[in-house]
């Protein structure tokens, strides 16, 4: 029997067709562009056929690729309908993922709401980065995930927003020369946004330190290694200070991504709970309460 196809790879290929390119598919799926390219290469290696080829600066589907996308849509549709029919709407376990940015205050409230609505269900939580969480939901390893948006083709439903702030060590000073940036490891929409904005302002930027965790990024900024662009629920930690000499960066949307086939009542309960949470955060900020 031939080895089965990877459904994640099929979804990636369909996303390329739907969005019109590798970069847009990467944004839509919260994956890095190299990961999207790897999924296509693995499919082509498995099928021993070229599915996508270069076309100038862009790419296009070959005739085999166009036919394969049509068949992949059919297969994914059948898979998703099968899940909807046979995955229980009220399972014995709900797996929820969240970014570190949202976890500290959001998860206790979400935990209380879900425990009240589903008292016999075991709740399992995972703290990770947005890209990893979104990919886990697509694969079916997580039921729900609270992720940061900011991409051109966002996933899921918008449930709130967080204010973006430039922060650094209290001793850090902005100067006309190059700027050292502290950022998350790639792929990261915050990192891209910071680099792009600083370049627009005419600064030469060097990524002086990077980390896969929020604690790591804040520790590097606190140590004076550079500035960081981070979203905050409330007050900035006392070990950091806001860099007011740089333009405000606005907000980043917070989104809830749900697994295909998850009971709509579970998703709706989570959306309402998270939306209520962020609404209360916004109201407190307007009143000047941390």
């Amino acid at each position: 029997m031939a080895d089965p196809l990877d459904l994640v790879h099929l979804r990636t290929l369909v996303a390329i067709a739907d969005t019109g390119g590798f970069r847009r598919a990467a944004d839509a799926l919260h994956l890095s562009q190299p990961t999207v390219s790897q999924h296509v290469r693995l499919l082509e290696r498995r099928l021993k056929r070229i599915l996508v080829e270069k076309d100038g600066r862009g790419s296009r589907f070959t005739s085999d690729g166009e036919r394969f996308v049509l068949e992949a849509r059919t297969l994914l549709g059948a898979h998703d309908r099968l899940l909807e029919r046979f995955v229980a709407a009220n399972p014995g376990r709900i797996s929820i993922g969240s970014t570190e940015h949202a976890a500290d205050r959001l998860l206790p409230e979400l935990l209380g709401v879900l425990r009240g609505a589903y008292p016999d269900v075991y709740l399992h939580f995972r703290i990770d980065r947005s890209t990893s969480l979104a990919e886990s939901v697509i694969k079916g390893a997580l039921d729900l995930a609270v992720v940061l948006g900011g991409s051109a083709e966002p996933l899921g439903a918008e449930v709130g927003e967080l204010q973006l702030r430039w922060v650094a060590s209290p001793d850090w000073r902005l100067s006309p020369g190059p700027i050292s940036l502290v950022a998350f490891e790639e792929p990261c929409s915050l990192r891209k946004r910071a680099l792009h904005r600083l370049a627009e302002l005419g600064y030469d930027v060097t990524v002086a330190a990077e980390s896969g965790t929020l604690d790591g990024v804040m520790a590097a900024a606190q140590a004076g290694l550079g500035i960081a662009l981070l979203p905050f629920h409330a007050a900035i930690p006392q070990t950091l200070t806001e860099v007011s000499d740089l333009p405000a960066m606005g907000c980043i949307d917070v989104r809830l991504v749900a697994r295909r086939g998850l009971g709509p009542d579970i998703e709706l309960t989570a959306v309402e709970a998270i939306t209520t949470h962020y609404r209360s955060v916004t109201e407190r900020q307007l009143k000047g309460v941390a």
Side-chain angles (χ1 to χ4, degrees), residues 18 56 59 75 98 107 123 137 191 194 200 208 212 226 235 239 263 265 283 287-288:
D18 289 342
S59 60
L75 177 58
S98 175
L107 287 189
L123 300 178
V137 173
R191 176 177 177 148
E200 282 185 335
T239 51
D265 56 328
E283 291 174 352
K287 294 177 181 178

Side-chain angles (χ1 to χ4, degrees), residues 205-223:
V205 187
T206 300
V207 178
E210 58 184 5
S211 174
T213 68
L214 177 60
D215 284 345
V217 172
M218 289 201 298
Q222 291 165 7

Side-chain angles (χ1 to χ4, degrees), residues 235-256:
I236 295 174
Q238 293 182 351
T239 51
L240 293 171
T241 187
E242 185 166 7
V243 180
S244 57
D245 295 330
L246 290 172
M249 293 294 289
C251 297
I252 188 168
D253 53 317
V254 180
R255 310 190 71 86
L256 179 70

Side-chain angles (χ1 to χ4, degrees), residues 62-84:
T62 63
S63 57
D64 283 336
E66 291 176 350
R67 291 197 301 271
F68 189 79
V69 167
L70 291 176
E71 297 288 348
R73 291 188 194 278
T74 302
L75 177 58
L76 291 171
H79 170 268
D80 294 341
R81 289 191 295 273
L82 180 67
L83 281 180
E84 290 173 0

Side-chain angles (χ1 to χ4, degrees), residues 167-224:
V167 295
S169 162
D171 298 329
W172 190 89
R173 295 292 181 270
L174 182 65
S175 63
I179 286 183
S180 296
L181 181 71
V182 175
F184 286 97
E185 298 170 349
E186 291 282 23
C188 176
S189 62
L190 289 176
R191 176 177 177 148
K192 291 179 181 177
R193 185 179 296 194
L195 289 169
H196 178 72
R197 186 64 177 122
L198 291 172
E200 282 185 335
L201 294 171
Y203 290 101
D204 292 327
V205 187
T206 300
V207 178
E210 58 184 5
S211 174
T213 68
L214 177 60
D215 284 345
V217 172
M218 289 201 298
Q222 291 165 7

